[in-house]
Amino acid sequence: MEGDFIKINEWLLPLSWLYGLGVKLRNMLFDVGILKSRSFDVPVISVGNITVGGTGKTPHVEYLIELLHKKFQVAMLSRGYKRKSKGYLVASKDSTVHDIGDEPYQMKQKYPKITVAVDKKRCHGIEKLTDDDPELDVVLLDDAFQHRYVKPGINILLVDYHRLIIYDKLLPAGRLREPLSGKNRADIVIVTKCPKDMKPMEYRVITKAMDLFPYQNLYFTTIAYSRLRPLFRGAKDIQDLQSFNVLLLTGIASPKQIMHDLQPETKSITPLTFSDHHLFSRKDILRINNTYASLPSPKLIITTEKDATRLLSVEGLSEEARNSIYVLPITIKFVQEEQENMFNENIIGYVRKNSRNSILVKAKDDHKSKDGNRSGNRPRAISFRNN
């Protein structure tokens, strides 16, 4: 597995050693308490990784939102990468990609009833969220595994199946942002982008190689796709891609998996790739127009939800290209159904037992129990909201 997917720049290993010293020192300062990690009285679930490049954070955060938002008051806090605003900002229906960043914008559009906020200083962001909404039940932190100033109740580490961290090296020789020991902070480790037909032997090999502690839970997820939808009004509904020549337009960290999955479903695929979170310039739009015009018909453009948030506001798309752009929603699915049930129960149970409202009810009941014991009454059972 490592021979196929991991490419190490051996001559950069001395620099990786120096980089690792700096990261280890920072982690040690947190471990001994010189730098402080802060806990909060509201459930906090962090989703992140220890590598550069995409591991599927956004669809996993959206999975948590989908799991929780109908039962609990949910807030999602992000730093808002590449946004043009500063400080703490809560998304509204009028917020733009430039205000809050592409991923928060995507989540706000899909889940308008949840609170979406951005703040580079996560502790300050959580303070503001909890002060502004006394009914808030849970805060989801996007890309915060290494933001150690916050101590989440559940720390979720994502690991790309195609680039397992156990075979990788520290930057700049590899893609690790901190030593492999950083995985020990995770409560849950999820191996993402797995093949849908993983064999039992492969589960066992990866589980053993990851070498997790007993308190850590390991899960395996795969990419799933929802139905194509037109980005702009007026585009025709697409049922079957087999006869189409597709321009795959992406500005994400790792488009290879989408390319691999779409290839057998289309007549041909022409990739047009940009860097992650790329803001499309006039030159980029001209390139998109020209590349699309050169494809034989029938043809269309497929892009991701994250890229679509940035394409909505661009100018200069040809009418032909504009009317041919379709969005492919990316979701995640647990490879094993029993794992999905275990994961869901773990997350819901944590939020239910630790929400501020549950704690208030428990404290109130405990007080009454003490009074009742003094008068000879039996203590009351603790009740939780949303049971």
Side-chain angles (χ1 to χ4, degrees), residues 161-162 193-198 202-203 221-222 335:
Y161 167 89
H162 299 290
K193 304 180 184 179
C194 296
K196 296 177 177 61
D197 57 349
M198 279 185 69
E202 195 166 8
Y203 287 113
T221 62
T222 187
V335 181

Side-chain angles (χ1 to χ4, degrees), residues 213-225:
F213 287 101
Y215 63 82
Q216 297 176 295
N217 295 317
L218 180 63
Y219 298 93
F220 298 84
T221 62
T222 187
I223 290 178
Y225 302 98

Side-chain angles (χ1 to χ4, degrees), residues 230 232-236 323:
F232 300 103
R233 292 180 180 178
K236 298 179 181 178
N323 293 336

Side-chain angles (χ1 to χ4, degrees), residues 22 45 47 56 75 90 95-96 111 167 179 209 223 228 265 288 339 344:
I45 301 174
V47 179
V90 176
S95 297
T96 67
Y111 302 98
Y167 303 127
I223 290 178
L228 282 173
E265 305 296 327
I288 292 170
Q339 280 206 339
N344 292 353

